[in-house]
Amino acid sequence: MTTPDAATPSNFISTIIKEDIKANKNNGQVVTRFPPEPNGYLHIGHAKSICLNFGLAKDFDGRCHLRFDDTNPSKEEVEYINSIKQDVAWLGFEWGEHLYFASDYFGQLYDYAVELIKRGKAYVCDLDAAKIREYRGTLTEPGKNSPYRDRSVEDSLDLFVRMRDGEFEDGSRVLRAKIDMASGNLNMRDPVLYRISKVAHHRTGDDWCIYPMYDFAHGLSDSIEGITHSICTLEFEDHRPLYDWFLDELEVDCHPQQIEFARLNLSYMVMSKRKLLQLVNGGFMSGWDDPRMPTISGLRRRGYTPESIRNFCERIGVAKRDSVVDIALLEFSIREDLNKRAPRVMGVLNPIKVVIENYPEDLVEELDAINNPEDPGAGTRKIPFSRELYIEKEDFMEDPPKKFFRLAPGREIRLRYGYFITCKDVVKDDSTGEIIELRCSYDPATRGGNSPDGRKVKATLHWVSATHAINAEVRLYDNLFTVENPALQKDGADFKECLNPNSLKVLTSCKLEPSLAGATPGSLFQFERLGYFCVDPVDSNNKSPVFNRTVTLRDTWARIQKGKKK
Ligand code: ATP
Ligand code: MG
């Protein structure tokens, strides 16, 4: 597990770009792109790439394109395109007029393919997929030439036109580059450039029944758009010779430089869209925006802010070697942000009733509470105090062990912003023995939580007034997986087998202070002592809000850092 150093985010890519600008390469211009395939929702790994590409463009006064790599119509949906645009914008990045689709270039890409055939650098191959694989060889054995490799240029041109015109069945023929079947790099063994697929495309409809392959379309799309630095993840390192080959053979004017960086992996999480899709389709998650998902939409619904995600991406830096980032660092980033901005409120998740016997029956006092000690400008609010209150069940023990300092029979504690109270009696259900009520007394001299005689108490508890509290559902989350790297299971076990059965806990009888009535969906609060919470924008309504716990108050990241320094 690597633990990137927040103070020095390394970015070897900006160093390369600085050198390029110094050498006046690309006339000193910087044009990057973020090229998602619209086959799923974006995740936090994509956020790393977005922050990097848009960030570099911003740092160097360049521009960053948003380009949909929509070359695979069978797996793509308009829903994904819309969600991707929404997520990039929400993260705080603007593509302006530079929104593109690889499908915009289908005509030009086709012409490039024809040009390669004419130059003797591509041919139509009639082998089926299985045979192509067989002929391809392995890492230790060279491949074999296809029997169609030496087909004449005229024949290939004729067949390619007829492929385009829909004369042949799916899978019956492909167009391949003519490179080197003995190359040590498998990507260079006559890769497929075009396949037949009689599937309608969400933008080009039935115009095409042949579609370009990723490697062919990607680099040429970069070139068409005048991209200067084509930044991608490490798995494309072995594709770089092919990326360059197309641009060299076609002698295009713009030859972008491909630079690879390590993808983001998070502990206790999976990150591939294919796996996330399985979680959604298999009903393991409520949707792509389930607050347990590492998707941008899931994180947003959970209560993550764009600032926290951008800060996280900055902290992890950009490296050339794959690593796993501790999920505690992501949580640290949102805790740090919300500590500054989230108003403090009180809410009781597992309520138990407290009756203050010496408090007048019909008295209600409005007590002053501080909205955010980190932000004096946030001011104060009034919270009602009355004879019947709720406190947290786990803040009381009838028979407390030595280190339990909260409420217990005969013991005095402070109610935050309220009074000192002492527990006098415990009322139980006769049949079950369950505690249903605590009978307490209060000291009127301790209003506001201060004792005039300097008397000390060892605990300050949160509470709400029973008659004034609003009811709410609260959802608590834990890691989605029980193991650090779910994608790497022994003996090929399925990653879904290590889903954490306790990743979601729903509490339906929570009591919250009345100021939270009508809280805006998506708004964020600190429930004192319990963590940061977000009003769920999907399931909340005015009558009964639903709160997602974004993160607890426990800074596990600081603990990990401290442990390392020892
Ligand atoms: P996945 O493996 O999750 O399906 P992908 O790479 O197929 O992701 P694309 O839509 O092709 O998804 O990715 C768009 C861009 O985001 C690419 O440039 C890709 O390199 C980058 N990207 C994807 N996953 C990560 C990640 N975990 N960390 C950093 N960048 C990523
Ligand atoms: Mg991909």
Side-chain angles (χ1 to χ4, degrees):
M1 179 117 16
T2 50
T3 44
D5 183 353
T8 53
S10 66
N11 191 338
F12 71 96
I13 300 179
S14 58
T15 308
I16 293 175
I17 294 181
K18 272 182 211 145
E19 294 292 313
D20 288 348
I21 291 174
K22 219 189 279 167
N24 203 34
K25 198 175 160 187
N26 312 303
N27 298 318
Q29 264 208 330
V30 176
V31 185
T32 58
R33 84 285 170 268
F34 173 65
E37 191 183 339
N39 61 353
Y41 281 58
L42 296 182
H43 51 59
I44 181 85
H46 293 113
K48 175 177 180 179
S49 175
I50 293 167
C51 290
L52 179 61
N53 278 294
F54 280 92
L56 288 168
K58 194 166 171 214
D59 289 350
F60 295 105
D61 268 336
R63 61 174 200 263
C64 180
H65 298 183
L66 173 60
R67 183 203 315 140
F68 287 98
D69 233 314
D70 55 350
T71 52
N72 193 0
S74 60
K75 288 194 181 158
E76 294 161 5
E77 286 178 31
V78 176
E79 175 196 347
Y80 297 141
I81 293 184
N82 293 335
S83 76
I84 289 169
K85 282 194 206 159
Q86 184 193 359
D87 289 349
V88 175
W90 178 78
L91 280 172
F93 298 105
E94 290 168 17
W95 54 86
E97 68 213 54
H98 299 289
L99 172 66
Y100 303 104
F101 293 82
S103 56
D104 292 341
Y105 314 134
F106 280 171
Q108 189 159 359
L109 293 170
Y110 177 83
D111 292 344
Y112 278 137
V114 167
E115 180 65 25
L116 280 180
I117 300 173
K118 286 184 179 160
R119 291 179 184 221
K121 296 293 181 181
Y123 61 99
V124 171
C125 178
D126 303 355
L127 294 179
D128 61 22
K131 277 273 179 281
I132 288 182
R133 215 172 305 126
E134 188 188 316
Y135 276 58
R136 200 163 170 233
T138 63
L139 280 173
T140 49
E141 283 167 56
K144 274 193 308 191
N145 283 353
S146 159
Y148 304 98
R149 197 174 202 262
D150 294 321
R151 197 166 238 169
S152 71
V153 168
E154 289 69 32
D155 282 357
S156 275
L157 275 178
D158 172 61
L159 286 166
F160 190 50
V161 169
R162 288 160 62 194
M163 276 169 65
R164 182 199 64 189
D165 291 344
E167 209 175 294
F168 310 120
E169 289 314 302
D170 285 14
S172 59
R173 289 192 163 80
V174 292
L175 182 72
R176 300 176 70 174
K178 194 188 276 189
I179 308 180
D180 178 7
M181 289 306 291
S183 171
N185 182 337
L186 289 168
N187 295 304
M188 301 299 273
R189 294 185 187 172
D190 291 11
V192 174
L193 308 186
Y194 266 90
R195 66 203 186 283
I196 304 170
S197 177
K198 294 183 175 164
V199 176
H201 187 279
H202 60 98
R203 301 191 85 235
T204 58
D206 292 323
D207 290 355
W208 297 89
C209 63
I210 55 170
Y211 291 99
M213 300 301 287
Y214 176 86
D215 279 325
F216 181 67
H218 189 79
L220 287 165
S221 300
D222 281 348
S223 169
I224 291 167
E225 287 176 19
I227 301 298
T228 57
H229 299 84
S230 177
I231 299 164
C232 61
T233 35
L234 277 180
E235 70 273 22
F236 291 104
E237 198 164 22
D238 288 346
H239 296 239
R240 190 179 346 122
L242 183 57
Y243 184 101
D244 290 331
W245 187 89
F246 291 127
L247 300 174
D248 289 339
E249 292 300 329
L250 286 161
E251 298 176 77
V252 292
D253 292 335
C254 169
H255 189 139
Q257 178 183 1
Q258 176 177 308
I259 306 169
E260 307 86 13
F261 71 100
R263 44 174 63 223
L264 167 66
N265 300 297
L266 273 184
S267 61
Y268 299 97
M269 191 47 95
V270 294
M271 205 67 96
S272 103
K273 277 184 281 182
R274 199 174 52 77
K275 291 199 172 70
L276 297 176
L277 183 65
Q278 286 183 49
L279 294 180
V280 175
N281 287 348
F284 299 96
M285 296 286 111
S286 65
W288 284 98
D289 67 347
D290 189 304
R292 291 169 289 178
M293 293 278 272
T295 51
I296 306 295
S297 49
L299 291 167
R300 174 167 62 233
R301 188 170 167 193
R302 173 93 167 245
Y304 275 78
T305 59
E307 291 81 357
S308 68
I309 295 177
R310 293 201 303 264
N311 284 340
F312 169 75
C313 291
E314 181 130 328
R315 274 205 180 90
I316 57 176
V318 179
K320 197 81 190 167
R321 190 138 29 95
D322 274 320
S323 65
V324 178
V325 173
D326 199 306
I327 199 161
L329 180 58
L330 180 64
E331 293 176 348
F332 171 83
S333 301
I334 184 63
R335 202 176 282 119
E336 177 193 55
D337 188 28
L338 294 184
N339 180 41
K340 284 179 287 182
R341 68 163 84 199
R344 274 55 170 171
V345 293
M346 291 200 284
V348 176
L349 301 187
N350 294 299
I352 183 168
K353 189 171 269 184
V354 167
V355 178
I356 302 175
E357 294 181 320
N358 59 339
Y359 196 86
E361 294 257 359
D362 43 11
L363 180 64
V364 177
E365 287 179 272
E366 295 285 329
L367 302 174
D368 289 312
I370 295 167
N371 286 335
N372 187 350
E374 300 289 321
D375 174 10
T380 61
R381 70 188 182 288
K382 298 282 184 196
I383 41 175
F385 188 92
S386 66
R387 184 180 150 90
E388 297 201 350
L389 312 170
Y390 290 113
I391 65 165
E392 213 68 66
K393 241 181 216 156
E394 63 172 43
D395 281 338
F396 174 81
M397 279 185 98
E398 195 174 10
D399 190 12
K402 246 195 169 148
K403 292 215 161 154
F404 186 88
F405 299 117
R406 293 168 271 167
L407 197 59
R411 187 181 290 171
E412 186 173 49
I413 56 89
R414 174 192 292 111
L415 292 177
R416 177 91 156 144
Y417 303 123
Y419 290 97
F420 284 17
I421 62 166
T422 305
C423 179
K424 299 289 184 196
D425 203 2
V426 179
V427 182
K428 292 182 184 172
D429 182 313
D430 281 344
S431 52
T432 63
E434 193 196 348
I435 299 175
I436 40 182
E437 201 174 282
L438 304 174
R439 310 292 293 189
C440 299
S441 66
Y442 86 119
D443 176 356
T446 57
R447 188 181 155 126
N450 307 307
S451 87
D453 56 7
R455 197 159 86 236
K456 293 261 188 305
V457 287
K458 286 202 170 142
T460 301
L461 306 185
H462 61 276
W463 54 275
V464 293
S465 163
T467 42
H468 301 89
I470 61 165
N471 297 315
E473 176 176 321
V474 171
R475 299 172 184 171
L476 306 179
Y477 302 99
D478 194 0
N479 287 340
L480 184 52
F481 291 93
T482 54
V483 296
E484 227 168 79
N485 193 343
L488 278 186
Q489 286 311 292
K490 279 201 197 96
D491 310 323
D494 190 279
F495 74 100
K496 296 191 286 304
E497 280 167 31
C498 42
L499 274 166
N500 176 4
N502 302 314
S503 60
L504 167 66
K505 200 165 159 193
V506 180
L507 304 173
T508 50
S509 43
C510 308
K511 302 283 183 183
L512 311 180
E513 68 167 69
S515 72
L516 286 168
T520 318
S523 52
L524 292 152
F525 299 91
Q526 184 194 99
F527 289 9
E528 297 213 14
R529 299 176 65 222
L530 298 173
Y532 294 99
F533 293 75
C534 174
V535 183
D536 188 278
V538 179
D539 293 336
S540 290
N541 60 52
N542 247 344
K543 285 217 179 71
S544 61
V546 173
F547 282 83
N548 295 316
R549 178 151 70 187
T550 313
V551 70
T552 65
L553 296 176
R554 245 172 296 126
D555 186 354
T556 45
W557 178 246
R559 204 177 317 142
I560 291 166
Q561 295 299 82
K562 228 171 160 183
K564 272 198 328 190
K565 287 200 186 107
K566 270 183 199 153

